[in-house]
Amino acid sequence: MNMLKAKYLTTRLFNISLAGFCLLGLGLNNAIARELIGLDYSVLTGNTVQIVFTFDQPPVEPRTFTIDEPARIALDFADTINSLKQRNFQVGIGNMQSIISAAANGRTRVVLNLSKSTEFKTSINGHQLTLTLGESEEPVAVVAKTDSTISPSSKTGQNFGISKAITKIDFKRGKNGEGRILIDMTRSNISTDVWRENNVVNIEMIGAQLPDELQRRMDVGDFATPISYIDTIQDGANIKMTISTNSEFEHLSYQADKIYTIEIAPITKEEEEKTKKEKFGYTGERLSLNFQDIEVRSVLQLLADFTGLNLVVSDSVTGNLTLRLKNVPWDQAMDIILKTKGLSQRRSGNVILIAPTDEIAAREKLDNLIFVINCNLQRLDGPVRGNSKIIQEMERIFIGNGWNV
């Protein structure tokens, strides 16, 4: 009887252990990262390209960002293994040139190389994520994020959140006589084209709506800038702005979050030839950037890679930002980023330190204090007792800078 009981207990214990092992195995399987196992693309009407990513389990919404020059779209899939047998696809359809995928640090990045900047949207269905690239009859968001508060059944651009529109057009004169046009937008991902035709600068905002009260001509000729008129109209599904000028000028455009700025600065013909690679005091090589909700540290790293400078970023630099810069000198791009996030830079040779403005000020104050102390130490001659006056001066310096002496 005792032997039967012991055998029953042993069998019971084995079954429980086996069940626990199976549960543990399930838990471990759930912790394993998903895999990207398939990538297919096809052409729809109007040269629209559709790319389908297939995973072994439901995917997460990727983190996406775009670059204008060269035109690229990058998708980062977190906790994802790249199990594609082919990592490089030569497409050559519509605006799509090629697709490249790579994996590192537990994530997979897919880069779409384009012939020109193109809007796109993404959607998830089961184990597949679909990216639709190209023009369509309806407004398409540059970056589409899932939002549980938005009805998925909507058939208009509203299924991506607030509709694309501008809410305000403002004009300001800069201290150097430049005219600055500031456009407030409802969303930060409105695709914008800017080009110059002789003495006119044209701006087109794709798929955006203009309120009736903003469809007008602004006469700004009395502000002593190169700008005479600003005409803004609704042209089909897009907004068309025309800036008419009255003298030689240079222009640039940039975006910080939901404010798009066009700047027109006066320049003589001689200066125009002399400063081909200079604009408003900046001499860096020009670049174009288009980022949606990207970490500040990542943007600074990108600028460091572009310029080849040694960049040291303080640990206290945090946060994300959205910006679009087109044909802007890299040093001006850095200034815009630093001012937007309340940061400053400090140069030492070819090394640049980036930190919050208060931290930079504190470092400079400490350096000045050390310099004064060194100067006073050099004045010491003989025993300290014979230099009480200098010691008292140093004591006042320390106390004045908040030290306990």
Side-chain angles (χ1 to χ4, degrees), residues 65-74 109 111-112 114 116-118 120 287-291 294 302 325:
F65 62 90
T66 62
I67 299 176
D68 283 344
E69 294 180 10
R72 290 176 183 170
I73 300 172
R109 169 170 291 186
V111 178
L112 313 179
L114 313 175
K116 66 178 183 178
S117 297
T118 307
F120 68 92
L287 52 73
S288 294
L289 300 173
N290 187 354
F291 293 111
I294 189 173
L302 181 65
L325 303 175

mmCIF file with all atom_site columns, all heavy atoms in Angstrom, residues 65-74 109 111-112 114 116-118 120 287-291 294 302 325:
data_model
loop_
_atom_site.group_PDB
_atom_site.id
_atom_site.type_symbol
_atom_site.label_atom_id
_atom_site.label_alt_id
_atom_site.label_comp_id
_atom_site.label_asym_id
_atom_site.label_entity_id
_atom_site.label_seq_id
_atom_site.pdbx_PDB_ins_code
_atom_site.Cartn_x
_atom_site.Cartn_y
_atom_site.Cartn_z
_atom_site.occupancy
_atom_site.B_iso_or_equiv
_atom_site.pdbx_formal_charge
_atom_site.auth_seq_id
_atom_site.auth_comp_id
_atom_site.auth_asym_id
_atom_site.auth_atom_id
_atom_site.pdbx_PDB_model_num
ATOM 1   N N   . PHE A 1 65  ? 11.099 57.795 -39.639 1.00 0.00 ? 65  PHE A N   1
ATOM 2   C CA  . PHE A 1 65  ? 11.572 59.153 -39.886 1.00 0.00 ? 65  PHE A CA  1
ATOM 3   C C   . PHE A 1 65  ? 11.987 59.264 -41.342 1.00 0.00 ? 65  PHE A C   1
ATOM 4   O O   . PHE A 1 65  ? 12.242 58.260 -42.015 1.00 0.00 ? 65  PHE A O   1
ATOM 5   C CB  . PHE A 1 65  ? 12.725 59.548 -38.952 1.00 0.00 ? 65  PHE A CB  1
ATOM 6   C CG  . PHE A 1 65  ? 13.961 58.717 -39.083 1.00 0.00 ? 65  PHE A CG  1
ATOM 7   C CD1 . PHE A 1 65  ? 14.956 59.073 -39.972 1.00 0.00 ? 65  PHE A CD1 1
ATOM 8   C CD2 . PHE A 1 65  ? 14.137 57.580 -38.320 1.00 0.00 ? 65  PHE A CD2 1
ATOM 9   C CE1 . PHE A 1 65  ? 16.104 58.321 -40.089 1.00 0.00 ? 65  PHE A CE1 1
ATOM 10  C CE2 . PHE A 1 65  ? 15.287 56.813 -38.434 1.00 0.00 ? 65  PHE A CE2 1
ATOM 11  C CZ  . PHE A 1 65  ? 16.274 57.184 -39.317 1.00 0.00 ? 65  PHE A CZ  1
ATOM 12  N N   . THR A 1 66  ? 12.001 60.488 -41.853 1.00 0.00 ? 66  THR A N   1
ATOM 13  C CA  . THR A 1 66  ? 12.284 60.719 -43.268 1.00 0.00 ? 66  THR A CA  1
ATOM 14  C C   . THR A 1 66  ? 13.427 61.701 -43.434 1.00 0.00 ? 66  THR A C   1
ATOM 15  O O   . THR A 1 66  ? 13.688 62.527 -42.558 1.00 0.00 ? 66  THR A O   1
ATOM 16  C CB  . THR A 1 66  ? 11.048 61.280 -43.998 1.00 0.00 ? 66  THR A CB  1
ATOM 17  O OG1 . THR A 1 66  ? 10.703 62.547 -43.427 1.00 0.00 ? 66  THR A OG1 1
ATOM 18  C CG2 . THR A 1 66  ? 9.867  60.337 -43.872 1.00 0.00 ? 66  THR A CG2 1
ATOM 19  N N   . ILE A 1 67  ? 14.117 61.615 -44.567 1.00 0.00 ? 67  ILE A N   1
ATOM 20  C CA  . ILE A 1 67  ? 15.171 62.550 -44.953 1.00 0.00 ? 67  ILE A CA  1
ATOM 21  C C   . ILE A 1 67  ? 14.851 63.035 -46.359 1.00 0.00 ? 67  ILE A C   1
ATOM 22  O O   . ILE A 1 67  ? 14.492 62.241 -47.235 1.00 0.00 ? 67  ILE A O   1
ATOM 23  C CB  . ILE A 1 67  ? 16.552 61.876 -44.914 1.00 0.00 ? 67  ILE A CB  1
ATOM 24  C CG1 . ILE A 1 67  ? 16.867 61.381 -43.492 1.00 0.00 ? 67  ILE A CG1 1
ATOM 25  C CG2 . ILE A 1 67  ? 17.639 62.831 -45.379 1.00 0.00 ? 67  ILE A CG2 1
ATOM 26  C CD1 . ILE A 1 67  ? 18.154 60.627 -43.379 1.00 0.00 ? 67  ILE A CD1 1
ATOM 27  N N   . ASP A 1 68  ? 14.968 64.355 -46.578 1.00 0.00 ? 68  ASP A N   1
ATOM 28  C CA  . ASP A 1 68  ? 14.625 64.927 -47.879 1.00 0.00 ? 68  ASP A CA  1
ATOM 29  C C   . ASP A 1 68  ? 15.727 64.724 -48.914 1.00 0.00 ? 68  ASP A C   1
ATOM 30  O O   . ASP A 1 68  ? 15.449 64.435 -50.072 1.00 0.00 ? 68  ASP A O   1
ATOM 31  C CB  . ASP A 1 68  ? 14.321 66.428 -47.733 1.00 0.00 ? 68  ASP A CB  1
ATOM 32  C CG  . ASP A 1 68  ? 12.937 66.656 -47.133 1.00 0.00 ? 68  ASP A CG  1
ATOM 33  O OD1 . ASP A 1 68  ? 12.154 65.702 -47.126 1.00 0.00 ? 68  ASP A OD1 1
ATOM 34  O OD2 . ASP A 1 68  ? 12.652 67.773 -46.669 1.00 0.00 ? 68  ASP A OD2 1
ATOM 35  N N   . GLU A 1 69  ? 16.982 64.932 -48.521 1.00 0.00 ? 69  GLU A N   1
ATOM 36  C CA  . GLU A 1 69  ? 18.093 64.837 -49.467 1.00 0.00 ? 69  GLU A CA  1
ATOM 37  C C   . GLU A 1 69  ? 19.222 64.027 -48.840 1.00 0.00 ? 69  GLU A C   1
ATOM 38  O O   . GLU A 1 69  ? 19.871 64.513 -47.900 1.00 0.00 ? 69  GLU A O   1
ATOM 39  C CB  . GLU A 1 69  ? 18.598 66.240 -49.841 1.00 0.00 ? 69  GLU A CB  1
ATOM 40  C CG  . GLU A 1 69  ? 17.591 67.061 -50.627 1.00 0.00 ? 69  GLU A CG  1
ATOM 41  C CD  . GLU A 1 69  ? 18.134 68.443 -50.987 1.00 0.00 ? 69  GLU A CD  1
ATOM 42  O OE1 . GLU A 1 69  ? 19.354 68.660 -50.779 1.00 0.00 ? 69  GLU A OE1 1
ATOM 43  O OE2 . GLU A 1 69  ? 17.361 69.274 -51.467 1.00 0.00 ? 69  GLU A OE2 1
ATOM 44  N N   . PRO A 1 70  ? 19.500 62.821 -49.345 1.00 0.00 ? 70  PRO A N   1
ATOM 45  C CA  . PRO A 1 70  ? 18.725 62.101 -50.360 1.00 0.00 ? 70  PRO A CA  1
ATOM 46  C C   . PRO A 1 70  ? 17.390 61.632 -49.780 1.00 0.00 ? 70  PRO A C   1
ATOM 47  O O   . PRO A 1 70  ? 17.280 61.412 -48.567 1.00 0.00 ? 70  PRO A O   1
ATOM 48  C CB  . PRO A 1 70  ? 19.631 60.925 -50.717 1.00 0.00 ? 70  PRO A CB  1
ATOM 49  C CG  . PRO A 1 70  ? 20.430 60.693 -49.465 1.00 0.00 ? 70  PRO A CG  1
ATOM 50  C CD  . PRO A 1 70  ? 20.663 62.046 -48.866 1.00 0.00 ? 70  PRO A CD  1
ATOM 51  N N   . ALA A 1 71  ? 16.393 61.492 -50.645 1.00 0.00 ? 71  ALA A N   1
ATOM 52  C CA  . ALA A 1 71  ? 15.043 61.133 -50.195 1.00 0.00 ? 71  ALA A CA  1
ATOM 53  C C   . ALA A 1 71  ? 15.035 59.701 -49.664 1.00 0.00 ? 71  ALA A C   1
ATOM 54  O O   . ALA A 1 71  ? 15.349 58.755 -50.394 1.00 0.00 ? 71  ALA A O   1
ATOM 55  C CB  . ALA A 1 71  ? 14.055 61.284 -51.347 1.00 0.00 ? 71  ALA A CB  1
ATOM 56  N N   . ARG A 1 72  ? 14.674 59.560 -48.386 1.00 0.00 ? 72  ARG A N   1
ATOM 57  C CA  . ARG A 1 72  ? 14.638 58.233 -47.757 1.00 0.00 ? 72  ARG A CA  1
ATOM 58  C C   . ARG A 1 72  ? 13.530 58.171 -46.726 1.00 0.00 ? 72  ARG A C   1
ATOM 59  O O   . ARG A 1 72  ? 13.166 59.194 -46.130 1.00 0.00 ? 72  ARG A O   1
ATOM 60  C CB  . ARG A 1 72  ? 15.967 57.914 -47.068 1.00 0.00 ? 72  ARG A CB  1
ATOM 61  C CG  . ARG A 1 72  ? 17.131 57.660 -48.002 1.00 0.00 ? 72  ARG A CG  1
ATOM 62  C CD  . ARG A 1 72  ? 18.406 57.451 -47.223 1.00 0.00 ? 72  ARG A CD  1
ATOM 63  N NE  . ARG A 1 72  ? 19.558 57.274 -48.094 1.00 0.00 ? 72  ARG A NE  1
ATOM 64  C CZ  . ARG A 1 72  ? 20.820 57.265 -47.694 1.00 0.00 ? 72  ARG A CZ  1
ATOM 65  N NH1 . ARG A 1 72  ? 21.089 57.443 -46.413 1.00 0.00 ? 72  ARG A NH1 1
ATOM 66  N NH2 . ARG A 1 72  ? 21.800 57.096 -48.550 1.00 0.00 ? 72  ARG A NH2 1
ATOM 67  N N   . ILE A 1 73  ? 13.028 56.974 -46.503 1.00 0.00 ? 73  ILE A N   1
ATOM 68  C CA  . ILE A 1 73  ? 12.112 56.690 -45.399 1.00 0.00 ? 73  ILE A CA  1
ATOM 69  C C   . ILE A 1 73  ? 12.712 55.525 -44.625 1.00 0.00 ? 73  ILE A C   1
ATOM 70  O O   . ILE A 1 73  ? 13.072 54.503 -45.223 1.00 0.00 ? 73  ILE A O   1
ATOM 71  C CB  . ILE A 1 73  ? 10.700 56.323 -45.885 1.00 0.00 ? 73  ILE A CB  1
ATOM 72  C CG1 . ILE A 1 73  ? 10.084 57.476 -46.689 1.00 0.00 ? 73  ILE A CG1 1
ATOM 73  C CG2 . ILE A 1 73  ? 9.801  55.951 -44.711 1.00 0.00 ? 73  ILE A CG2 1
ATOM 74  C CD1 . ILE A 1 73  ? 8.778  57.113 -47.359 1.00 0.00 ? 73  ILE A CD1 1
ATOM 75  N N   . ALA A 1 74  ? 12.853 55.675 -43.310 1.00 0.00 ? 74  ALA A N   1
ATOM 76  C CA  . ALA A 1 74  ? 13.408 54.615 -42.469 1.00 0.00 ? 74  ALA A CA  1
ATOM 77  C C   . ALA A 1 74  ? 12.348 54.158 -41.480 1.00 0.00 ? 74  ALA A C   1
ATOM 78  O O   . ALA A 1 74  ? 11.631 54.969 -40.899 1.00 0.00 ? 74  ALA A O   1
ATOM 79  C CB  . ALA A 1 74  ? 14.648 55.092 -41.733 1.00 0.00 ? 74  ALA A CB  1
ATOM 80  N N   . ARG A 1 109 ? 15.890 47.580 -38.961 1.00 0.00 ? 109 ARG A N   1
ATOM 81  C CA  . ARG A 1 109 ? 15.646 48.829 -39.677 1.00 0.00 ? 109 ARG A CA  1
ATOM 82  C C   . ARG A 1 109 ? 15.494 48.528 -41.171 1.00 0.00 ? 109 ARG A C   1
ATOM 83  O O   . ARG A 1 109 ? 16.307 47.813 -41.745 1.00 0.00 ? 109 ARG A O   1
ATOM 84  C CB  . ARG A 1 109 ? 16.778 49.825 -39.461 1.00 0.00 ? 109 ARG A CB  1
ATOM 85  C CG  . ARG A 1 109 ? 16.712 51.045 -40.389 1.00 0.00 ? 109 ARG A CG  1
ATOM 86  C CD  . ARG A 1 109 ? 17.693 52.124 -39.992 1.00 0.00 ? 109 ARG A CD  1
ATOM 87  N NE  . ARG A 1 109 ? 17.320 52.750 -38.729 1.00 0.00 ? 109 ARG A NE  1
ATOM 88  C CZ  . ARG A 1 109 ? 17.948 53.799 -38.205 1.00 0.00 ? 109 ARG A CZ  1
ATOM 89  N NH1 . ARG A 1 109 ? 18.976 54.335 -38.836 1.00 0.00 ? 109 ARG A NH1 1
ATOM 90  N NH2 . ARG A 1 109 ? 17.553 54.305 -37.050 1.00 0.00 ? 109 ARG A NH2 1
ATOM 91  N N   . VAL A 1 111 ? 15.119 50.603 -44.796 1.00 0.00 ? 111 VAL A N   1
ATOM 92  C CA  . VAL A 1 111 ? 15.298 51.909 -45.428 1.00 0.00 ? 111 VAL A CA  1
ATOM 93  C C   . VAL A 1 111 ? 14.775 51.848 -46.854 1.00 0.00 ? 111 VAL A C   1
ATOM 94  O O   . VAL A 1 111 ? 15.159 50.962 -47.626 1.00 0.00 ? 111 VAL A O   1
ATOM 95  C CB  . VAL A 1 111 ? 16.780 52.331 -45.420 1.00 0.00 ? 111 VAL A CB  1
ATOM 96  C CG1 . VAL A 1 111 ? 16.949 53.682 -46.126 1.00 0.00 ? 111 VAL A CG1 1
ATOM 97  C CG2 . VAL A 1 111 ? 17.305 52.412 -43.994 1.00 0.00 ? 111 VAL A CG2 1
ATOM 98  N N   . LEU A 1 112 ? 13.878 52.774 -47.193 1.00 0.00 ? 112 LEU A N   1
ATOM 99  C CA  . LEU A 1 112 ? 13.337 52.887 -48.538 1.00 0.00 ? 112 LEU A CA  1
ATOM 100 C C   . LEU A 1 112 ? 14.036 54.050 -49.229 1.00 0.00 ? 112 LEU A C   1
ATOM 101 O O   . LEU A 1 112 ? 13.905 55.205 -48.802 1.00 0.00 ? 112 LEU A O   1
ATOM 102 C CB  . LEU A 1 112 ? 11.821 53.131 -48.496 1.00 0.00 ? 112 LEU A CB  1
ATOM 103 C CG  . LEU A 1 112 ? 10.994 52.231 -47.558 1.00 0.00 ? 112 LEU A CG  1
ATOM 104 C CD1 . LEU A 1 112 ? 9.528  52.616 -47.627 1.00 0.00 ? 112 LEU A CD1 1
ATOM 105 C CD2 . LEU A 1 112 ? 11.187 50.772 -47.906 1.00 0.00 ? 112 LEU A CD2 1
ATOM 106 N N   . LEU A 1 114 ? 14.301 56.607 -52.204 1.00 0.00 ? 114 LEU A N   1
ATOM 107 C CA  . LEU A 1 114 ? 13.328 57.163 -53.138 1.00 0.00 ? 114 LEU A CA  1
ATOM 108 C C   . LEU A 1 114 ? 14.005 58.098 -54.136 1.00 0.00 ? 114 LEU A C   1
ATOM 109 O O   . LEU A 1 114 ? 15.099 58.599 -53.899 1.00 0.00 ? 114 LEU A O   1
ATOM 110 C CB  . LEU A 1 114 ? 12.247 57.931 -52.366 1.00 0.00 ? 114 LEU A CB  1
ATOM 111 C CG  . LEU A 1 114 ? 11.633 57.228 -51.148 1.00 0.00 ? 114 LEU A CG  1
ATOM 112 C CD1 . LEU A 1 114 ? 10.677 58.175 -50.438 1.00 0.00 ? 114 LEU A CD1 1
ATOM 113 C CD2 . LEU A 1 114 ? 10.913 55.957 -51.554 1.00 0.00 ? 114 LEU A CD2 1
ATOM 114 N N   . LYS A 1 116 ? 12.406 60.914 -54.983 1.00 0.00 ? 116 LYS A N   1
ATOM 115 C CA  . LYS A 1 116 ? 12.042 62.199 -54.408 1.00 0.00 ? 116 LYS A CA  1
ATOM 116 C C   . LYS A 1 116 ? 11.179 61.956 -53.186 1.00 0.00 ? 116 LYS A C   1
ATOM 117 O O   . LYS A 1 116 ? 10.624 60.871 -53.007 1.00 0.00 ? 116 LYS A O   1
ATOM 118 C CB  . LYS A 1 116 ? 11.297 63.073 -55.417 1.00 0.00 ? 116 LYS A CB  1
ATOM 119 C CG  . LYS A 1 116 ? 9.942  62.532 -55.834 1.00 0.00 ? 116 LYS A CG  1
ATOM 120 C CD  . LYS A 1 116 ? 9.250  63.490 -56.807 1.00 0.00 ? 116 LYS A CD  1
ATOM 121 C CE  . LYS A 1 116 ? 7.853  62.979 -57.180 1.00 0.00 ? 116 LYS A CE  1
ATOM 122 N NZ  . LYS A 1 116 ? 7.157  63.920 -58.086 1.00 0.00 ? 116 LYS A NZ  1
ATOM 123 N N   . SER A 1 117 ? 11.063 62.963 -52.327 1.00 0.00 ? 117 SER A N   1
ATOM 124 C CA  . SER A 1 117 ? 10.276 62.832 -51.104 1.00 0.00 ? 117 SER A CA  1
ATOM 125 C C   . SER A 1 117 ? 8.824  62.547 -51.452 1.00 0.00 ? 117 SER A C   1
ATOM 126 O O   . SER A 1 117 ? 8.243  63.215 -52.316 1.00 0.00 ? 117 SER A O   1
ATOM 127 C CB  . SER A 1 117 ? 10.379 64.103 -50.262 1.00 0.00 ? 117 SER A CB  1
ATOM 128 O OG  . SER A 1 117 ? 11.699 64.311 -49.842 1.00 0.00 ? 117 SER A OG  1
ATOM 129 N N   . THR A 1 118 ? 8.257  61.561 -50.810 1.00 0.00 ? 118 THR A N   1
ATOM 130 C CA  . THR A 1 118 ? 6.900  61.115 -51.102 1.00 0.00 ? 118 THR A CA  1
ATOM 131 C C   . THR A 1 118 ? 6.183  60.802 -49.811 1.00 0.00 ? 118 THR A C   1
ATOM 132 O O   . THR A 1 118 ? 6.772  60.258 -48.875 1.00 0.00 ? 118 THR A O   1
ATOM 133 C CB  . THR A 1 118 ? 6.926  59.854 -51.995 1.00 0.00 ? 118 THR A CB  1
ATOM 134 O OG1 . THR A 1 118 ? 7.722  60.104 -53.148 1.00 0.00 ? 118 THR A OG1 1
ATOM 135 C CG2 . THR A 1 118 ? 5.523  59.471 -52.440 1.00 0.00 ? 118 THR A CG2 1
ATOM 136 N N   . PHE A 1 120 ? 3.485  58.886 -47.272 1.00 0.00 ? 120 PHE A N   1
ATOM 137 C CA  . PHE A 1 120 ? 3.135  57.479 -47.114 1.00 0.00 ? 120 PHE A CA  1
ATOM 138 C C   . PHE A 1 120 ? 2.229  57.306 -45.899 1.00 0.00 ? 120 PHE A C   1
ATOM 139 O O   . PHE A 1 120 ? 2.087  58.204 -45.065 1.00 0.00 ? 120 PHE A O   1
ATOM 140 C CB  . PHE A 1 120 ? 4.406  56.630 -46.946 1.00 0.00 ? 120 PHE A CB  1
ATOM 141 C CG  . PHE A 1 120 ? 5.141  56.877 -45.653 1.00 0.00 ? 120 PHE A CG  1
ATOM 142 C CD1 . PHE A 1 120 ? 4.886  56.128 -44.518 1.00 0.00 ? 120 PHE A CD1 1
ATOM 143 C CD2 . PHE A 1 120 ? 6.103  57.875 -45.576 1.00 0.00 ? 120 PHE A CD2 1
ATOM 144 C CE1 . PHE A 1 120 ? 5.566  56.355 -43.334 1.00 0.00 ? 120 PHE A CE1 1
ATOM 145 C CE2 . PHE A 1 120 ? 6.793  58.110 -44.404 1.00 0.00 ? 120 PHE A CE2 1
ATOM 146 C CZ  . PHE A 1 120 ? 6.528  57.347 -43.279 1.00 0.00 ? 120 PHE A CZ  1
ATOM 147 N N   . LEU A 1 287 ? 22.160 71.246 -45.996 1.00 0.00 ? 287 LEU A N   1
ATOM 148 C CA  . LEU A 1 287 ? 21.519 69.944 -45.890 1.00 0.00 ? 287 LEU A CA  1
ATOM 149 C C   . LEU A 1 287 ? 20.024 70.130 -45.722 1.00 0.00 ? 287 LEU A C   1
ATOM 150 O O   . LEU A 1 287 ? 19.534 71.228 -45.461 1.00 0.00 ? 287 LEU A O   1
ATOM 151 C CB  . LEU A 1 287 ? 22.091 69.132 -44.727 1.00 0.00 ? 287 LEU A CB  1
ATOM 152 C CG  . LEU A 1 287 ? 22.164 69.734 -43.310 1.00 0.00 ? 287 LEU A CG  1
ATOM 153 C CD1 . LEU A 1 287 ? 20.794 69.826 -42.659 1.00 0.00 ? 287 LEU A CD1 1
ATOM 154 C CD2 . LEU A 1 287 ? 23.080 68.922 -42.448 1.00 0.00 ? 287 LEU A CD2 1
ATOM 155 N N   . SER A 1 288 ? 19.288 69.038 -45.881 1.00 0.00 ? 288 SER A N   1
ATOM 156 C CA  . SER A 1 288 ? 17.843 69.034 -45.659 1.00 0.00 ? 288 SER A CA  1
ATOM 157 C C   . SER A 1 288 ? 17.518 67.911 -44.687 1.00 0.00 ? 288 SER A C   1
ATOM 158 O O   . SER A 1 288 ? 18.028 66.790 -44.822 1.00 0.00 ? 288 SER A O   1
ATOM 159 C CB  . SER A 1 288 ? 17.085 68.817 -46.973 1.00 0.00 ? 288 SER A CB  1
ATOM 160 O OG  . SER A 1 288 ? 17.267 69.914 -47.840 1.00 0.00 ? 288 SER A OG  1
ATOM 161 N N   . LEU A 1 289 ? 16.687 68.205 -43.702 1.00 0.00 ? 289 LEU A N   1
ATOM 162 C CA  . LEU A 1 289 ? 16.301 67.227 -42.681 1.00 0.00 ? 289 LEU A CA  1
ATOM 163 C C   . LEU A 1 289 ? 14.790 67.225 -42.525 1.00 0.00 ? 289 LEU A C   1
ATOM 164 O O   . LEU A 1 289 ? 14.150 68.270 -42.597 1.00 0.00 ? 289 LEU A O   1
ATOM 165 C CB  . LEU A 1 289 ? 16.956 67.557 -41.330 1.00 0.00 ? 289 LEU A CB  1
ATOM 166 C CG  . LEU A 1 289 ? 18.487 67.591 -41.277 1.00 0.00 ? 289 LEU A CG  1
ATOM 167 C CD1 . LEU A 1 289 ? 18.938 68.100 -39.918 1.00 0.00 ? 289 LEU A CD1 1
ATOM 168 C CD2 . LEU A 1 289 ? 19.050 66.208 -41.532 1.00 0.00 ? 289 LEU A CD2 1
ATOM 169 N N   . ASN A 1 290 ? 14.237 66.062 -42.298 1.00 0.00 ? 290 ASN A N   1
ATOM 170 C CA  . ASN A 1 290 ? 12.797 65.942 -42.060 1.00 0.00 ? 290 ASN A CA  1
ATOM 171 C C   . ASN A 1 290 ? 12.586 64.846 -41.030 1.00 0.00 ? 290 ASN A C   1
ATOM 172 O O   . ASN A 1 290 ? 12.710 63.661 -41.341 1.00 0.00 ? 290 ASN A O   1
ATOM 173 C CB  . ASN A 1 290 ? 12.069 65.603 -43.366 1.00 0.00 ? 290 ASN A CB  1
ATOM 174 C CG  . ASN A 1 290 ? 10.557 65.628 -43.202 1.00 0.00 ? 290 ASN A CG  1
ATOM 175 O OD1 . ASN A 1 290 ? 10.049 65.796 -42.098 1.00 0.00 ? 290 ASN A OD1 1
ATOM 176 N ND2 . ASN A 1 290 ? 9.848  65.457 -44.289 1.00 0.00 ? 290 ASN A ND2 1
ATOM 177 N N   . PHE A 1 291 ? 12.311 65.228 -39.798 1.00 0.00 ? 291 PHE A N   1
ATOM 178 C CA  . PHE A 1 291 ? 12.179 64.268 -38.709 1.00 0.00 ? 291 PHE A CA  1
ATOM 179 C C   . PHE A 1 291 ? 10.844 64.440 -37.998 1.00 0.00 ? 291 PHE A C   1
ATOM 180 O O   . PHE A 1 291 ? 10.379 65.551 -37.788 1.00 0.00 ? 291 PHE A O   1
ATOM 181 C CB  . PHE A 1 291 ? 13.312 64.439 -37.681 1.00 0.00 ? 291 PHE A CB  1
ATOM 182 C CG  . PHE A 1 291 ? 14.665 64.082 -38.216 1.00 0.00 ? 291 PHE A CG  1
ATOM 183 C CD1 . PHE A 1 291 ? 15.618 65.068 -38.420 1.00 0.00 ? 291 PHE A CD1 1
ATOM 184 C CD2 . PHE A 1 291 ? 14.987 62.785 -38.519 1.00 0.00 ? 291 PHE A CD2 1
ATOM 185 C CE1 . PHE A 1 291 ? 16.866 64.756 -38.912 1.00 0.00 ? 291 PHE A CE1 1
ATOM 186 C CE2 . PHE A 1 291 ? 16.235 62.454 -39.014 1.00 0.00 ? 291 PHE A CE2 1
ATOM 187 C CZ  . PHE A 1 291 ? 17.173 63.444 -39.207 1.00 0.00 ? 291 PHE A CZ  1
ATOM 188 N N   . ILE A 1 294 ? 11.705 62.767 -33.171 1.00 0.00 ? 294 ILE A N   1
ATOM 189 C CA  . ILE A 1 294 ? 12.979 62.058 -33.030 1.00 0.00 ? 294 ILE A CA  1
ATOM 190 C C   . ILE A 1 294 ? 13.733 62.602 -31.817 1.00 0.00 ? 294 ILE A C   1
ATOM 191 O O   . ILE A 1 294 ? 13.555 63.762 -31.427 1.00 0.00 ? 294 ILE A O   1
ATOM 192 C CB  . ILE A 1 294 ? 13.833 62.223 -34.315 1.00 0.00 ? 294 ILE A CB  1
ATOM 193 C CG1 . ILE A 1 294 ? 15.063 61.317 -34.262 1.00 0.00 ? 294 ILE A CG1 1
ATOM 194 C CG2 . ILE A 1 294 ? 14.219 63.670 -34.524 1.00 0.00 ? 294 ILE A CG2 1
ATOM 195 C CD1 . ILE A 1 294 ? 15.858 61.292 -35.551 1.00 0.00 ? 294 ILE A CD1 1
ATOM 196 N N   . LEU A 1 302 ? 23.515 62.856 -35.833 1.00 0.00 ? 302 LEU A N   1
ATOM 197 C CA  . LEU A 1 302 ? 23.447 62.920 -37.295 1.00 0.00 ? 302 LEU A CA  1
ATOM 198 C C   . LEU A 1 302 ? 24.254 64.111 -37.819 1.00 0.00 ? 302 LEU A C   1
ATOM 199 O O   . LEU A 1 302 ? 24.997 63.999 -38.803 1.00 0.00 ? 302 LEU A O   1
ATOM 200 C CB  . LEU A 1 302 ? 21.993 63.024 -37.753 1.00 0.00 ? 302 LEU A CB  1
ATOM 201 C CG  . LEU A 1 302 ? 21.749 63.074 -39.258 1.00 0.00 ? 302 LEU A CG  1
ATOM 202 C CD1 . LEU A 1 302 ? 22.179 61.773 -39.911 1.00 0.00 ? 302 LEU A CD1 1
ATOM 203 C CD2 . LEU A 1 302 ? 20.287 63.341 -39.548 1.00 0.00 ? 302 LEU A CD2 1
ATOM 204 N N   . LEU A 1 325 ? 13.861 70.919 -42.162 1.00 0.00 ? 325 LEU A N   1
ATOM 205 C CA  . LEU A 1 325 ? 14.792 71.935 -42.641 1.00 0.00 ? 325 LEU A CA  1
ATOM 206 C C   . LEU A 1 325 ? 15.130 71.605 -44.092 1.00 0.00 ? 325 LEU A C   1
ATOM 207 O O   . LEU A 1 325 ? 15.476 70.465 -44.401 1.00 0.00 ? 325 LEU A O   1
ATOM 208 C CB  . LEU A 1 325 ? 16.068 71.951 -41.796 1.00 0.00 ? 325 LEU A CB  1
ATOM 209 C CG  . LEU A 1 325 ? 15.892 72.163 -40.295 1.00 0.00 ? 325 LEU A CG  1
ATOM 210 C CD1 . LEU A 1 325 ? 17.228 72.021 -39.588 1.00 0.00 ? 325 LEU A CD1 1
ATOM 211 C CD2 . LEU A 1 325 ? 15.292 73.528 -40.011 1.00 0.00 ? 325 LEU A CD2 1
#
